Amino acid sequence: MATMLGLVSFLVLLNAACCGQAQLAGETRSPITNMQLDSRKRMLTWNYIRNVSQQECMISTPPNSPTMASFPTTQAPEVREDSTYFCIFRNRVLHRGANLTVKVTCDGAKFQEVLPFANPGREGSGAVNFSCFIYNVRLMNCSWAPGPQAPADVRYRLFWWASLHEDEAECVHYSTDPTGTRVGCHFDELGAPQGTDNYFFLLNGTSSETAIPFLDFVPFEARKIEKYNPPTNITITHNTSHHIIRWGNPEIRYELSTQVLYYELDIQRPGSASKTNPVFQRGQDANVYVVPRSAVRPDTTLRVRVRYLHNELWSEWTPTLRLGLPEQDFRGALLGVLVTATAVPALVLVCFCKWYSLFPRIPQVKKELTGT
């Protein structure tokens, strides 16, 4: 009997020890599980197997990777209805690789999990030199160049979307180089403009020879990639001392203050050895620039272009106008006066000659005959 009681006691103690070790092992195990990355949305998701009291997520990318300073690299996670936690890293690109980290505190202990991400494919085969610009208010062009190590059969594909909550759409109108490789995309309708428009792009590729790394970007702020049409309604008037240049603001896609428009006036005298420095001027309600009349010659020319103050996308130049046109008019008028002054006496002389030939003078009878 004593032997049985001792055996039972031993089993109870052994079970308690095993359960305690299992519980201790569970408490030291990270509560973070199921970490996944949606590279298109730059969204990291995960779940917890135990309750946590503090949590944060962060992203680390290689030096010199493109960023947007307005979004921090460390964030407080959000949670969905299905208890899935997530962070979206709008400020970083992933095509150069990244490490994504989740840090939490659970039962007084700190835990962290790191998810490394690498962009698969042959180095140098992805597209390069990607750029986009909006023009004519509602159209957009994007362009790129094949990577230096891209295979001959590479087929690039461009996807875009205007919000992280939208599904991506592939380019419809590709442009190609002489070899048939896709190097651009034309968008023929951007829809109604919104003041907060951002455009997201993902450029990847396929090849039978190798995997092609994708290329992603920080959001393109739409108002910063618009290339304006040239300024309109340029007029040149003058008085006794000055030439007065006026012009109208171009039609633009977004409602912006005229103060963010930036104009360049190029005033030159063709054939002159010295070039006049261009004039730069911020937009205003009444766009006007005054030139002293003494600084203008009859062949002085003018052209104007415009851009958004915070980008370098200049419009095309306006057609070249003659700033010295009034002086040319004066010379023309003077020449006309001289021609008229010469022509009128000549005309009178011609008329007199014709009259004389039609009505010759009757000769007088000699006095001798008269006397006889």
Side-chain angles (χ1 to χ4, degrees):
M1 186 67 178
T3 304
M4 284 293 295
L5 290 175
L7 180 60
V8 170
S9 299
F10 174 76
L11 292 175
V12 170
L13 291 174
L14 181 62
N15 182 62
C18 292
C19 291
Q21 291 179 357
Q23 183 177 1
L24 182 61
E27 291 176 353
T28 58
R29 177 185 172 188
S30 172
I32 306 167
T33 184
N34 196 28
M35 287 180 65
Q36 298 181 26
L37 175 67
D38 183 335
S39 60
R40 182 189 78 82
K41 294 183 177 181
R42 300 174 199 152
M43 178 184 293
L44 177 67
T45 60
W46 69 94
N47 300 102
Y48 294 126
I49 57 175
R50 299 198 307 277
N51 292 332
V52 299
S53 56
Q54 295 179 355
Q55 54 180 337
E56 66 177 11
C57 57
M58 64 186 67
I59 185 172
S60 174
T61 55
N64 301 321
S65 292
T67 64
M68 284 186 68
S70 57
F71 293 97
T73 56
T74 300
Q75 302 179 28
E78 300 179 61
V79 62
R80 298 174 180 163
E81 294 181 356
D82 62 356
S83 298
T84 297
Y85 290 80
F86 67 93
C87 285
I88 301 176
F89 300 99
R90 299 178 178 87
N91 63 320
R92 288 291 190 271
V93 297
L94 299 176
H95 66 265
R96 299 185 62 193
N99 287 323
L100 300 110
T101 304
V102 175
K103 293 182 177 181
V104 299
T105 300
C106 179
D107 298 328
K110 296 183 180 298
F111 300 89
Q112 79 171 30
E113 295 289 336
V114 179
L115 177 67
F117 174 80
N119 190 1
R122 176 194 293 174
E123 184 177 356
S125 62
V128 295
N129 300 333
F130 182 85
S131 64
C132 293
F133 66 90
I134 297 170
Y135 67 102
N136 286 348
V137 180
R138 60 187 58 84
L139 307 176
M140 182 167 65
N141 279 347
C142 295
S143 63
W144 59 88
Q149 303 300 322
D153 69 339
V154 66
R155 182 180 178 86
Y156 293 113
R157 303 177 66 191
L158 178 65
F159 297 88
W160 76 297
W161 56 100
S163 167
L164 290 174
H165 304 291
E166 295 181 8
D167 293 331
E168 72 271 16
E170 185 175 359
C171 170
V172 177
H173 306 292
Y174 284 108
S175 57
T176 60
D177 65 10
T179 67
T181 302
R182 291 173 173 176
V183 292
C185 176
H186 171 71
F187 300 88
D188 56 8
E189 184 55 60
L190 294 179
Q194 303 293 330
T196 57
D197 278 353
N198 287 325
Y199 294 116
F200 298 80
F201 297 98
L202 178 69
L203 181 58
N204 60 21
T206 58
S207 168
S208 61
E209 183 178 326
T210 181
I212 306 297
F214 69 83
L215 189 63
D216 62 344
F217 315 89
V218 293
F220 282 57
E221 296 182 62
R223 68 180 62 189
K224 292 185 178 181
I225 62 171
E226 184 175 2
K227 180 179 179 179
Y228 302 141
N229 291 328
T232 59
N233 300 327
I234 300 178
T235 61
I236 302 171
T237 58
H238 63 97
N239 54 32
T240 57
S241 59
H242 290 88
H243 290 265
I244 302 131
I245 305 168
R246 291 186 176 87
W247 64 91
N249 296 319
E251 181 185 6
I252 61 178
R253 180 171 175 81
Y254 300 97
E255 293 184 3
L256 301 173
S257 166
T258 58
Q259 291 294 321
V260 300
L261 300 179
Y262 196 50
Y263 292 94
E264 179 181 358
L265 284 73
D266 183 39
I267 302 172
Q268 299 294 338
R269 184 180 179 187
S272 175
S274 60
K275 294 292 184 181
T276 305
N277 292 328
V279 176
F280 296 99
Q281 182 166 305
R282 292 277 290 271
Q284 49 186 294
D285 293 335
N287 296 318
V288 60
Y289 184 74
V290 177
V291 183
R293 192 160 186 171
S294 60
V296 175
R297 298 293 181 268
D299 56 351
T300 301
T301 62
L302 164 72
R303 59 180 185 168
V304 187
R305 63 179 182 172
V306 61
R307 67 173 171 86
Y308 181 55
L309 184 63
H310 303 295
N311 70 19
E312 297 297 330
L313 289 173
W314 285 104
S315 73
E316 300 299 327
W317 288 104
T318 61
T320 301
L321 301 176
R322 285 190 177 274
L323 187 57
L325 190 58
E327 283 77 5
Q328 286 191 327
D329 282 349
F330 173 75
R331 289 186 177 184
L334 180 60
L335 180 61
V337 170
L338 292 175
V339 170
T340 302
T342 305
V344 168
L347 182 61
V348 171
L349 180 60
V350 169
C351 291
F352 178 77
C353 292
K354 285 184 175 294
W355 178 85
Y356 186 81
S357 64
L358 291 175
F359 303 97
R361 184 178 178 182
I362 300 175
Q364 294 181 355
V365 179
K366 289 184 178 181
K367 293 182 179 181
E368 293 81 358
L369 296 177
T370 303
T372 303

